[in-house]
Amino acid sequence: MIFEAVITTLDEDASPHIAPMGFHYEGPRVIIAPFRPCRTLSNLERTGEAVLNLTDNVAIIAGCLTGRRAWPTAPVASIQGCRLADTLAHIEVRALRVEPDELRPRFVCEVVHEQAHRAFQGFNRAQGAVIEAAILVSRLSRLPVAKVDAEIDYLRTAIDKTAGERERQAWAWLMERVQAFRRGRLGDVA
Ligand SMILES: Cc1cc2nc3c(=O)[nH]c(=O)nc-3n(C[C@H](O)[C@H](O)[C@H](O)COP(=O)(O)O)c2cc1C
């Protein structure tokens, strides 16, 4: 089972780098598998540490994909790093080993600390729709236009019926990004 999180790693100058990323468990171990090339991967290779933020703030996910990466952070307990301030829970992990791969190395990590901050508020369809749309946006150059349009049309129903302000903002950022991509052939993510 894959969980979608927001991962925080530290850049070389110790500033936080924030990016949406999936992870899964293999027994007690956390597996993180970033595609090459990406900053999260370089940071993980250099530091061997990361924080998985389990957040329901989908504006952070949409924001990261549209060049809005300056989200408030807070200190963590057991590694060099930081967590998102707005997260339901966070998991601090340390890589035990890396399984090398030219496209997508796997970091096998131990959990060194985990902490809950706020209660889960319940499922929301608009949040799911924003996550799905964010994945589409991260793959715009590889997906046919008709497929992207059809999926966006379907996902929009959940936004129209169930979104709060945060989800509407996230959706608007993603739709702007789709339009900008089509106007100017921008890359997949900011
Ligand atoms: C919900 C979601 C899950 C993602 N999961 C992954 C992942 O598991 N691995 C990956 O390399 N990129 C994943 N991405 C794309 C990255 O967030 C994106 O490429 C990001 O810019 C990471 O690159 P960076 O570390 O250079 O910022 C995901 C994006 C979304 C929206």
Side-chain angles (χ1 to χ4, degrees):
M1 186 174 181
I2 294 174
F3 299 97
E4 306 301 348
V6 175
I7 189 167
T8 37
T9 53
L10 289 187
D11 284 338
E12 266 180 285
D13 64 0
S15 59
H17 182 72
I18 303 174
M21 199 144 297
F23 73 96
H24 68 274
Y25 288 95
E26 285 180 5
R29 303 299 179 219
V30 163
I31 311 295
I32 305 169
F35 284 99
R36 279 185 202 286
C38 80
R39 185 109 68 91
T40 299
L41 172 57
S42 313
N43 288 346
L44 264 170
E45 283 175 331
R46 196 184 64 259
T47 68
E49 294 180 332
V51 177
L52 296 162
N53 298 275
L54 312 182
T55 183
D56 61 354
N57 186 348
V58 291
I60 299 176
I61 293 175
C64 287
L65 287 184
T66 56
R68 299 166 175 91
R69 299 223 191 207
W71 296 94
T73 58
V76 292
S78 303
I79 62 168
Q80 298 285 324
C82 62
R83 66 172 175 88
L84 291 174
D86 187 7
T87 188
L88 302 178
H90 82 272
I91 307 169
E92 299 167 34
V93 301
R94 185 173 294 130
L96 294 171
R97 63 175 194 281
V98 187
E99 296 173 0
D101 186 83
E102 276 185 21
L103 182 65
R104 198 176 191 188
R106 281 166 36 106
F107 291 79
V108 180
C109 304
E110 63 173 335
V111 173
V112 293
H113 183 77
E114 51 192 327
Q115 197 173 338
H117 303 285
R118 282 196 290 116
F120 175 58
Q121 291 191 297
F123 296 109
N124 171 254
R125 290 176 57 204
Q127 290 171 0
V130 168
I131 292 168
E132 292 303 321
I135 289 171
L136 290 175
V137 164
S138 76
R139 297 177 184 166
L140 284 174
S141 65
R142 283 170 283 159
L143 292 174
V145 170
K147 179 179 167 65
V148 173
D149 284 346
E151 295 203 11
I152 285 174
D153 272 353
Y154 173 71
L155 294 169
R156 184 177 285 114
T157 309
I159 299 295
D160 291 344
K161 288 186 175 168
T162 74
E165 189 49 42
R166 200 171 55 175
E167 291 73 26
R168 278 183 216 291
Q169 176 65 82
W171 182 260
W173 286 340
L174 293 172
M175 293 308 105
E176 277 168 25
R177 180 76 188 176
V178 173
Q179 295 314 316
F181 175 83
R182 288 180 180 170
R183 277 197 310 272
R185 303 295 298 175
L186 296 172
D188 275 341
V189 291

